[in-house]
Amino acid sequence: MNSKIQTQKLASSPLPAPPRLRVPFSVTSAFTLFLACAIATTAQAQVAIKAKTIHTMAGPAITDGIVVITDGRIAAVGPAASTQIPAGYETLTAEVLTPGLIDARGTVGLTGIFNSRHDSDQIDPSAPIQPELRAIDAYNPQEKLIQWVREFGTTTVNTGHAPGSLITGQTIIVKTTGNTVEEALVKSPAMVSATLGPSANEQGGKAPGTRGKQVAMLREELLKARDYIEKKTRAAKKKDDPAPAPADSTDKPTEKSPTPPTPPDRNLHLEMLADVLEGKVPLLVHANRAQDIESALRLKQEFGFRLILESAAEAYLLAPQIKEAGVDVILHPSMQRAVGDSENQSFETAAVLVKAGIRFAIESGYESYVPKTRVVLFEAAIAASNGLTFDQALGAVTIEAARILGIDQRVGSIQTGKDADLALFSGDPFEYTTHCTAVIVGGTIVSRVER
Amino acid sequence: MTARSFLRFATAAILISGFAHPHTYAQAPADSKPQAFIGARLIPISGPAIDRGILIIENGKITAIGPEGSTAIPSGAARHDVAGKVIMPGLVDTHSHVGGPGGADGSAPIQPGVRVMDSLNPLDSGYRRVVAGGITTANVMPGSGHLLSGQTVYLKMRRPDGKPPRTIDQMFIQGADGKPSGGIKMANGTNSIGQPPFPGSRGKSAFLVREQFIKAQEYNAKIKSATGADGKLDETKLPARDLGLEALIDAMEGRKIVHHHTHRADDIMTVLRLRDEFGFRVVLHHVSEAWKVADQIAAAEKEGGVLGSSIILVDSPGGKLEAAEVSFITGASLAKAGARFAYHTDDWITDSRLFLRMAALGVRGGLSRDLALRALTLSGAELLDLQDRIGSLQTGKDADFIILSGDPLSVYTKVEQTWVEGRMVFNRADPSDHLHQVGGYSAGRDQSPYFCCFGGAGQ
């Protein structure tokens, strides 16, 4: 019963734009029919793609294949020899076709290209723990960086409040199109963003100032949330299961009855942490140093929430522990700067995670300066050249990311019935000199520029 | 400056800087036995690629290069079978902040007397990454938080005795004057704007620079007038030494190249305007919006004084206002205009280990492969006045080269070995070198660049 978690029903077209004319089939005028077709092509693309190689991420790659898109969904995928393109479909061609890329964690839309006061909403500095801040209230779908990542094939992003304080707020999952956040939205809230390590320390003598204090503050807050849940549960029980009939006012001595529990006042802060404790929303913990990763695992053990590790630069030191805890990892961008608490990061960490059997994705993460956003296509490419197979690297920005985000029923692979989110490339998508030639979101061609 | 007074300055500079013995930073002797690298695809940059070639080095220099079969291997040469590999010149990074450079401090916006070479830590792990990325020469500079943040230094990634250097003077590139070579770092645009005494606007920025260069002109005139018509120096007429003004004179007389951080098109034009007024030789650095004024840059190069542009590419535009229109097309547009350009890492803005990638992104933006590879090597050397010594595989040049597993512009290619002046300085097969190439526990760099005052006092 969580009204705050909304999952948008399978989207039609996440693109806003031209008013969609629904022309009834009964129209017989040839001219009107022609017009209707023309409009339908721009508004609701009925599109097919012929590709030399289709990486479906749901089985082996298809050579010389075709994908057919109808009404925003994938209607068919298979070898050209056995897959028909219906008449009247716009047909695109590509050397390589992949699912639209999924950025398992970024900040685009809350962070903007200018990196100035007016386009930077990733952190409110007034308090170190603010799980109540919703990304949906801050996401700017018009942000240029969203267009930038979209043109390199990113079609879905888990974006929101950045790492940098103990708990900065929530994230949301959006498609990289849409005129309003509502149109873009896939899921809100998606996660609660937490940070352990030096970057979560506050300045000027404010708490937290050490690792020990960070964990103490989180534990205290989570205990408050646990207490909040208990109060709510007791009140709910009381309501559902009314107390025995009230004693009448005769001289019968009443049994001492406890004060009837009243529900606690609504507290947006604790409500959100309660959702975390009840497993409705994962806690995404940004931790780079091994001891910070260990602290996250310890907190998970104590409170039992769903933990997802973010960044995890030294995860290679704790692979068995992470595996044992059954925790997913959203790994730092391969090219993130190796400074501060990520100075020991490695291009080969993804390969270590694969070997350990840990489910992981590769993120664009948060950048405070230049480049203002990273691009998961580029980050996965570096992993592909440092120990991952092609499929493992592509999986880290498609189907595995979708699974970690819990949206794999809808996106992440090229399969019949899924959202038609696709990226077209002129060659191996990971090669530096390959171009992303077109991007499709929800069946609509949203980019035709060569990137 | 007369030859004599210049000599006086040069001698004084050597004495003051403690480098009375130029040999302390002279090239360390390389192995004298000739070495032959046989069978690799050679990309000399100065000429067409050789599919199966032979490269001969001796005493730290390239002594021969040519196709297999028609290139003689000296008897007694150590033979390296590198069939299937690719060899190209060591990469030249025209703009790096590796090794913890600390130039000018927060006390003033123009500090030409400060030398970055007095701040570097040769043991910084950053230098291990530099060679892991195939870079053999780097221009290490102070930051862009000042209009003028000090003197830069050109470093060779040598291993004088097979070990990483322990003193920075083992890395200097000795100039013709016997001094470590380097340039002057300047900046305009938003990074160098701040609270007083830093400028608060672009107009004020240019004014402060002009004022300082005019002071240097007047100072220089006094020095010159101390020498009479008979050529005799009257020492009593010499002004008190001013290290900052001396450096500006070095710039105006062409001995030190001005390396000028500049992003926006109008800021680029301001640099050209100041160059016209004071005649310094200048390289335009970063040039996010060079694609808007490529023709003007090309024209300025033809007039002389502008050596070219040094480009940075980043994975997305923005991060600050003046980089909002940075584009992968910059190299291609400068090439089309006929302007010269190189790429740089700006390490730590981008990682030295990924320098090859920068040129590949240039190709993605429309640049030819040949020019992209030139922009990592010979063009960079030209922007540092080092083209006679490095930047291409040519007989007589320093034996600085890299051995790659494949196409230099492929993401899957690895730098397998890096050689500087005839010695191997990086070997991916060595576990310690491998650690620094891919990262991992204890690979972290130990010192960050000091970026006063951008982001600090200036904000």
Side-chain angles (χ1 to χ4, degrees), chain B residues 5 60 82 189 253 396 425:
Chain B
S5 67
V82 282
E253 298 190 342
V425 300

Side-chain angles (χ1 to χ4, degrees), chain A residues 27-297:
Chain A
V27 173
T28 47
S29 150
F31 176 72
T32 316
L33 190 59
F34 167 77
L35 231 179
C37 286
I39 291 166
T41 315
T42 45
Q44 177 72 65
Q46 307 292 31
V47 178
I49 301 123
K50 280 178 161 173
K52 282 242 177 75
T53 307
I54 302 176
H55 296 285
T56 64
M57 302 315 288
I62 299 170
T63 305
D64 287 323
I66 284 175
V67 172
V68 177
I69 300 169
T70 304
D71 296 334
R73 311 271 194 87
I74 294 166
V77 51
S82 58
T83 310
Q84 291 287 317
I85 299 177
Y89 273 51
E90 177 176 2
T91 302
L92 305 183
T93 58
E95 281 293 310
V96 175
L97 182 67
T98 71
L101 306 184
I102 299 172
D103 183 349
R105 200 291 193 256
T107 61
V108 286
L110 274 77
T111 51
I113 189 168
F114 299 119
N115 201 17
S116 63
R117 187 78 186 87
H118 83 276
D119 69 352
S120 301
D121 287 296
Q122 70 279 5
I123 288 188
D124 170 82
S126 64
I129 303 182
Q130 304 192 68
E132 61 275 22
L133 304 191
R134 300 190 305 187
I136 199 169
D137 299 320
Y139 179 75
N140 171 17
Q142 313 288 346
E143 169 51 45
K144 278 187 178 166
L145 292 176
I146 296 168
Q147 178 188 347
W148 181 262
V149 299
R150 182 173 71 226
E151 289 174 358
F152 287 99
T154 303
T155 54
T156 302
V157 189
N158 173 32
T159 186
H161 291 90
S165 285
L166 269 185
I167 294 183
T168 55
Q170 305 165 17
T171 71
I172 52 176
I173 300 170
V174 289
K175 293 287 184 80
T176 54
T177 54
N179 207 29
T180 63
V181 66
E182 282 76 13
E183 286 168 359
L185 195 66
V186 176
K187 190 176 187 185
S188 171
M191 297 179 189
V192 169
S193 167
T195 306
L196 291 173
S199 62
N201 284 337
E202 302 287 327
Q203 305 296 312
K206 283 191 231 157
T210 63
R211 289 188 157 91
K213 183 74 172 186
Q214 288 174 10
V215 175
M217 287 173 72
L218 283 178
R219 292 182 63 222
E220 242 169 62
E221 216 64 13
L222 289 169
L223 287 171
K224 275 186 213 161
R226 189 183 269 176
D227 188 47
Y228 185 75
I229 294 171
E230 274 168 21
K231 278 187 186 151
K232 265 173 84 169
T233 313
R234 276 207 305 273
K237 256 195 196 142
K238 167 82 185 162
K239 204 173 142 201
D240 297 347
D241 178 24
D248 49 40
S249 56
T250 60
D251 45 0
K252 232 178 173 183
T254 47
E255 278 185 38
K256 55 169 181 146
S257 66
T259 335
T262 50
D265 290 341
R266 280 198 69 189
N267 179 325
L268 297 179
H269 179 89
L270 293 179
E271 274 180 17
M272 197 61 233
L273 291 180
D275 283 352
V276 167
L277 288 180
E278 290 176 337
K280 293 171 187 159
V281 178
L283 190 67
L284 177 68
V285 179
H286 184 281
N288 277 321
R289 292 281 190 201
Q291 75 256 49
D292 296 321
I293 295 172
E294 277 197 84
S295 294
L297 296 176

Side-chain angles (χ1 to χ4, degrees), chain A residues 337-339, chain B residues 93-101 124-131 133 135 138-142 286 312 344-355 358 445 447-449 451:
Chain A
R337 281 182 197 106
V339 294
Chain B
D93 186 357
T94 47
H95 187 137
S96 175
H97 300 292
V98 79
D124 190 286
S125 60
Y127 290 115
R128 303 288 301 273
R129 295 168 193 238
V130 167
V131 290
I135 295 165
N139 175 23
V140 176
M141 308 222 272
H286 305 322
I312 186 170
H344 65 249
T345 64
D346 202 4
D347 191 321
W348 55 263
I349 293 295
T350 76
D351 194 311
S352 289
R353 295 172 297 170
L354 296 162
F355 193 30
M358 183 89 67
R445 68 184 56 186
Q447 202 169 334
S448 297
F451 279 149

